[in-house]
Amino acid sequence: MNCKKNEMDLLNKFREDSKVFGTNPRQSRQLNLEVLGLILAVLMNSLNPIQAAEKRPNILFIMADDHTSQTWGCYGSRLAKFADTPNIDRLASEGALLKHCFCVNSICVPSRASILTGQYSHLNGVRTLNDALDPKLDNVAKRMQAAGYQTSLIGKWHLKKAPSGFDYWNIIKGQGRYQQPILFEMNLDKPEVQKGKYCTDVFTDKALNWLGTRQTNKPFFLMLHFKATHEPWQFHPRHAKLYQNIDLPEPETLFSSTGPTNSRVPGWPLEILTERMLGRNDHGDGKLILKTDDPQSIRKATYQKFVKAFLRCGKAIDENIGRVLEYLDENNLANDTVVIYTSDQGYFLGEHNYFDKRFMLEESLRMPFVIRYPREIKAGTVLEDIILNVDFAPTFLDYAGMKTPSSMQGKSARKNLLGNTAPDWRKSMYYRYFENSLARPSHYGIRTHHHKLIYYDGIDSPSEAEKWEFYDLSKDPMETRNMYDKEDNQAIIRGLKLQLHRLQIQLKDSA
Ligand code: CA
């Protein structure tokens, strides 16, 4: 009976929290229906929790920070054979790899908020790095919890206020640190220094401990969020010798220009990183030492040092994913657990002579994503559909037997992963980046399977034409030529502008 009482308490709390929605009668009616559905789900689960646990899979969501697809072996980029990620690759070969998974705002905090809420930034209010996620907002963890899942969050949170919807949490504040991280277990005022520990290892230790002590009569929903591979890429000393005597392949666009040709956007060139690495021992293997004053050679040296440190941080992630997969195997959980590994956005590794993210260009926009669920997903699946980070929450809820709430803007990709994509599945996606600076102006745009149109509303120019970029991804997948002014493209561009406007209305964004 205690179990039942706890679940009803949770449900009441959920109803209270959800009062921020449903401000008009239609929304209220919809919400009432959803709450009724939830009550039924909770009651069914509390009647026979063991049976329910057998029917519904565990969900293990592992996410890194900035771990871009160029450094995952299974994505086959120029760095694939150097990345050495057998455990991530194993998830892809035993499950599915998403080729066109995108974030709707390519920056850490907003992407995390969109994953939790299933909403775009303009609706959940987390538009920039400075915004906090309101704990009262509905989120996927609250729904999983109310439906009888045991929920847990370990590692990087980055949404400022205390997490809500988790039975257990143990997190770093803000960016935290790589070495000897400070964790906060269920209390943001009680720091615990992890002496002698490396962040990626200790987050995994905590996750395995939690798994070992969880309530086995309930399915679990565990979010394990690594801090790596975020700048400043402090790798573990055990990986210091990796790549020591080799030169990593450079991107084709390292010297083509700063940014795509004809773009009016300066972007974030590697020379900024050069200055940082000359002044600081960021990675733990010393400052950047230059033997030349030739600008091209300096850019090359910066690229090598930065990407090697990035890959070393990624290596620790792969090893720790291996530990988690081994735990699932040893405890006979692999068949009943949906395992996901993704990154909150992509990252430029010297492409266009950029580093960092924030742009709608491919390296930054793409979220690498692999998912394994042996009971449903055919091994070796490669999915071409456009999937967004706002789809993650509806997909988790679908696995847990729940419908997508009307407040969420994403859609479940569960059927897509079975090879049954609905005919009306999206053929285009809407993106919006809100932060604004001269080098990285705010912008929004649309991407289809073949084209991309971007409007830089943050550019201060009297000329409207200077604010647009258009790329034909079929002919120019590396986005090296802005073809907005080319006469042949005008019909396509007019069509894309129309679609863009429709998406803004549909998604309730008044750009
Ligand atoms: Ca990030």
Side-chain angles (χ1 to χ4, degrees):
M1 290 306 287
N2 278 344
C3 173
K4 238 187 219 180
K5 182 182 180 306
N6 288 342
E7 282 165 350
M8 289 314 291
D9 287 346
L10 280 174
L11 187 59
N12 288 332
K13 185 174 181 307
F14 168 81
R15 294 181 70 173
E16 199 60 35
D17 289 346
S18 298
K19 281 178 182 169
V20 290
F21 293 103
T23 51
N24 67 42
R26 191 176 164 196
Q27 282 177 316
S28 295
R29 275 197 302 277
Q30 181 67 36
L31 187 64
N32 286 340
L33 285 173
E34 283 162 11
V35 170
L36 186 64
L38 203 57
I39 290 169
L40 288 172
V42 169
L43 289 176
M44 281 173 69
N45 183 59
S46 61
L47 287 173
N48 192 346
I50 294 173
Q51 195 177 38
E54 285 171 356
K55 284 180 183 171
R56 299 184 296 173
N58 306 305
I59 297 177
L60 172 50
F61 178 77
I62 310 173
M63 181 164 70
D65 198 328
D66 299 354
H67 197 200
T68 191
S69 59
Q70 301 96 301
T71 57
W72 294 25
C74 50
Y75 275 89
S77 85
R78 69 181 188 279
L79 295 168
K81 69 176 178 178
F82 300 92
D84 190 25
T85 53
N87 295 297
I88 298 171
D89 300 347
R90 180 186 163 195
L91 283 174
S93 64
E94 293 178 358
L97 178 145
L98 273 54
K99 286 189 80 174
H100 300 113
C101 183
F102 302 122
C103 54
V104 299
N105 181 359
S106 179
I107 188 76
C108 313
V109 176
S111 181
R112 286 155 196 269
S114 287
I115 288 167
L116 280 157
T117 61
Q119 294 180 328
Y120 274 70
S121 310
H122 60 270
L123 274 201
N124 64 33
V126 185
R127 296 175 177 83
T128 72
L129 279 177
N130 297 322
D131 295 321
L133 180 67
D134 182 350
K136 288 185 178 157
L137 282 183
D138 187 15
N139 74 40
V140 65
K142 288 183 187 180
R143 293 202 172 246
M144 299 294 280
Q145 190 181 49
Y149 272 70
Q150 194 182 8
T151 60
S152 176
L153 165 74
I154 290 163
K156 187 168 183 179
W157 170 239
H158 213 192
L159 291 166
K160 306 202 177 51
K161 296 184 179 176
S164 58
F166 296 95
D167 297 312
Y168 175 81
W169 50 267
N170 199 350
I171 60 173
I172 52 171
K173 277 189 187 175
Q175 298 289 1
R177 59 190 192 196
Y178 273 97
Q179 309 288 355
Q180 307 199 75
I182 302 170
L183 284 171
F184 295 81
E185 184 183 30
M186 304 295 286
N187 185 347
L188 288 179
D189 297 319
K190 196 179 161 200
E192 290 176 50
V193 180
Q194 307 297 307
K195 286 182 185 167
K197 303 279 188 178
Y198 183 69
C199 62
T200 312
D201 299 334
V202 77
F203 295 168
T204 310
D205 293 344
K206 301 289 182 190
L208 295 181
N209 283 343
W210 182 81
L211 283 170
T213 56
R214 75 188 195 284
Q215 294 171 251
T216 51
N217 62 342
K218 284 181 164 190
F220 68 79
F221 175 58
L222 168 59
M223 301 185 97
L224 169 57
H225 293 179
F226 294 124
K227 166 184 168 54
T229 52
H230 195 283
E231 195 184 358
W233 315 297
Q234 286 176 357
F235 50 84
H236 191 282
R238 70 179 182 269
H239 298 126
K241 290 188 177 170
L242 285 174
Y243 319 114
Q244 256 188 345
N245 300 312
I246 58 163
D247 279 336
L248 296 171
E250 295 166 354
E252 288 177 36
T253 53
L254 185 63
F255 290 104
S256 61
S257 66
T258 298
T261 312
N262 306 328
S263 169
R264 278 82 176 178
V265 179
W268 211 235
L270 285 187
E271 282 65 26
I272 292 172
L273 199 49
T274 308
E275 287 302 313
R276 287 182 192 173
M277 296 196 319
L278 284 169
R280 302 194 303 236
N281 176 20
D282 270 350
H283 313 150
D285 61 345
K287 296 177 184 175
L288 176 66
I289 296 170
L290 296 174
K291 298 172 184 164
T292 171
D293 56 4
D294 168 50
Q296 286 209 354
S297 302
I298 292 173
R299 190 179 292 181
K300 280 172 173 276
T302 301
Y303 170 81
Q304 292 295 331
K305 183 166 164 54
F306 141 56
V307 178
K308 285 178 182 178
F310 193 105
L311 287 173
R312 288 169 187 148
C313 288
K315 185 64 185 165
I317 291 178
D318 188 77
E319 289 170 354
N320 278 285
I321 288 176
R323 292 175 64 202
V324 174
L325 296 183
E326 195 176 322
Y327 179 92
L328 297 179
D329 288 337
E330 285 174 354
N331 290 276
N332 200 25
L333 290 165
N335 280 337
D336 297 309
T337 304
V338 179
V339 184
I340 293 125
Y341 178 56
T342 187
S343 169
D344 57 351
Q345 6 72 205
Y347 205 86
F348 295 106
L349 295 177
E351 298 87 0
H352 310 289
N353 188 34
Y354 286 169
F355 73 107
D356 209 68
K357 52 264 180 178
R358 301 168 187 257
F359 286 103
M360 200 185 165
L361 297 174
E362 289 294 274
E363 293 84 359
S364 159
L365 178 69
R366 176 171 291 107
M367 300 174 84
F369 188 107
V370 290
I371 178 168
R372 185 187 76 176
Y373 182 29
R375 293 210 189 279
E376 276 196 19
I377 300 171
K378 192 177 163 192
T381 298
V382 175
L383 192 62
E384 300 277 351
D385 299 339
I386 295 176
I387 310 291
L388 306 178
N389 55 355
V390 291
D391 297 328
F392 297 0
T395 306
F396 301 157
L397 294 177
D398 196 354
Y399 282 120
M402 288 180 281
K403 288 186 176 170
T404 304
S406 61
S407 57
M408 291 187 181
Q409 297 179 296
K411 296 196 283 188
S412 170
R414 186 176 180 179
K415 284 185 181 163
N416 305 57
L417 289 161
L418 298 174
N420 298 326
T421 300
D424 63 347
W425 188 260
R426 74 172 69 82
K427 306 288 189 299
S428 61
M429 60 84 62
Y430 177 60
Y431 175 90
R432 187 168 183 188
Y433 173 74
F434 288 84
E435 294 191 37
N436 193 22
S437 67
L438 196 63
R440 298 183 288 196
S442 59
H443 56 284
Y444 56 84
I446 181 170
R447 188 203 193 279
T448 67
H449 282 282
H450 301 292
H451 302 108
K452 188 182 292 180
L453 183 70
I454 310 172
Y455 181 71
Y456 288 91
D457 60 327
I459 287 184
D460 186 17
S461 167
S463 163
E464 273 298 297
E466 288 194 351
K467 297 183 180 184
W468 290 96
E469 286 180 14
F470 169 76
Y471 298 101
D472 186 333
L473 300 173
S474 305
K475 295 176 186 163
D476 180 24
M478 293 185 186
E479 300 165 308
T480 58
R481 298 182 302 280
N482 172 15
M483 305 293 269
Y484 182 77
D485 293 332
K486 200 164 169 28
E487 191 56 39
D488 295 353
N489 297 324
Q490 295 314 304
I492 295 169
I493 289 171
R494 276 197 299 278
L496 287 171
K497 284 183 178 176
L498 197 63
Q499 280 189 62
L500 175 62
H501 185 57
R502 281 186 189 141
L503 280 174
Q504 287 174 328
I505 293 170
Q506 182 191 326
L507 296 165
K508 303 181 177 69
D509 186 21
S510 51

